[in-house]
Amino acid sequence: MSKKSLGKVYLVGAGPGDPGLLTVKGKTLLELADLVIYDALVSDQILDLINPNAEKINAGKRRGRHSLLQEETTKLLIEKAQIHAVVVRLKGGDPFIFGRGGEEMQDLIQAGIAVEVVPGITSGIAAPAYAGIPLTHRDHSSSVTFVTGHETVGKYRPQVNWEAIAKGSETIVIYMGVHNLPYIIQQLTQAGHSLETPIALIRWGTRPEQEELIATLETIVQKVEETGFEAPAIAVIGSVVNLKSC
């Protein structure tokens, strides 16, 4: 881009929902922002921290409902950086953990826009902690794998090597996996995971409405159907689930 931008874009992680988990730097930027483009999973309490004079745009993406396409969001960030000094792209969790922050950063840099990333606490760590599930434990797990479960099964070759994950990690944390849970469980059990392996689904992690569903790989799909358990939720698979304390 030949025209030098006036402003800087901050890719800010809002954390999983509890406003107390927002970083001090993230809060400061929200208070100073001229413009905030935010995602659907950012909690209302955090949105309330935004400078009241700032322009606010909802770019939220939820399954089957898109306020803005990814390309439109990036284009908007580039345009707004020409007229605003502090532009905040506010993302749930951490921008670089399944948040497409890396893609946005690349596009902004290519367009000549200054970018700074402000990390946030990702839900894959926070939600199990609030549920009392330690992801590592000397007697149960010395390895953790974070993986996306949001794949369009049958439309293209799956990118996740579930067999390698099943054999290589003692604790598996799955983002966006509720809708593909039957397929994921099939892949893990074919790779050697026992049907008796415990699994926890944690919905709206760290928020007052947080809820958990505990089962095994054999029974979880039926329990989801019986209870009407829905996304957004994190799945934790492994013996650490048995340590749940609350």
Side-chain angles (χ1 to χ4, degrees):
M1 180 175 291
S2 58
K3 182 181 177 182
K4 184 176 177 59
S5 66
L6 165 70
K8 184 174 183 178
V9 174
Y10 296 85
L11 303 178
V12 177
D18 183 344
L21 298 181
L22 178 67
T23 64
V24 173
K25 187 168 187 177
K27 179 176 182 291
T28 299
L29 285 168
L30 292 181
E31 293 169 343
L32 297 175
D34 300 304
L35 165 75
V36 178
I37 300 179
Y38 61 93
D39 281 347
L41 293 180
V42 178
S43 67
D44 291 339
Q45 293 95 328
I46 291 176
L47 293 178
D48 288 341
L49 299 173
I50 297 173
N51 173 8
N53 296 318
E55 180 182 0
K56 295 182 281 290
I57 300 175
N58 183 354
K61 299 177 182 65
R62 296 289 300 278
R63 183 179 173 90
R65 302 193 303 276
H66 295 271
S67 296
L68 289 177
L69 297 175
Q70 184 63 42
E71 296 78 10
E72 294 173 332
T73 299
T74 303
K75 181 180 178 182
L76 192 59
L77 286 169
I78 294 170
E79 291 175 352
K80 294 298 185 179
Q82 307 302 321
I83 57 177
H84 292 304
V86 180
V87 176
V88 173
R89 176 69 172 102
L90 187 62
K91 292 176 166 290
D94 179 88
F96 281 2
I97 304 296
F98 305 120
R100 304 191 73 169
E103 298 170 42
E104 292 180 359
M105 180 185 68
Q106 286 180 303
D107 290 340
L108 289 164
I109 291 174
Q110 187 175 7
I113 307 297
V115 184
E116 182 175 335
V117 180
V118 180
I121 297 177
T122 182
S123 58
I125 293 174
Y130 272 52
I133 299 173
L135 297 183
T136 65
H137 188 286
R138 287 192 298 173
D139 296 329
H140 293 267
S141 174
S142 59
S143 59
V144 183
T145 296
F146 297 93
V147 59
T148 177
H150 185 59
E151 295 185 302
T152 308
V153 179
K155 290 189 177 181
Y156 65 95
R157 184 178 180 275
Q159 299 299 305
V160 176
N161 187 337
W162 291 106
E163 181 177 2
I165 290 172
K167 294 179 178 179
S169 188
E170 293 158 307
T171 302
I172 303 172
V173 179
I174 304 173
Y175 292 66
M176 302 170 288
V178 172
H179 296 285
N180 286 338
L181 204 54
Y183 169 79
I184 292 170
I185 290 173
Q186 178 190 52
Q187 295 297 304
L188 292 176
T189 54
Q190 285 179 355
H193 259 47
S194 167
L195 286 172
E196 297 304 312
T197 303
I199 177 174
L201 299 183
I202 309 166
R203 171 178 163 85
W204 294 121
T206 79
R207 304 187 185 208
E209 62 268 34
Q210 174 173 318
E211 57 181 321
E212 301 100 30
L213 187 64
I214 309 296
T216 65
L217 293 184
E218 183 176 30
T219 61
I220 187 61
V221 172
Q222 181 179 347
K223 282 197 172 185
V224 167
E225 294 174 351
E226 291 174 349
T227 61
F229 194 95
E230 296 180 341
I234 289 288
V236 181
I237 299 173
S239 64
V240 292
V241 173
N242 289 331
L243 301 175
K244 176 176 165 53
S245 64
C246 54

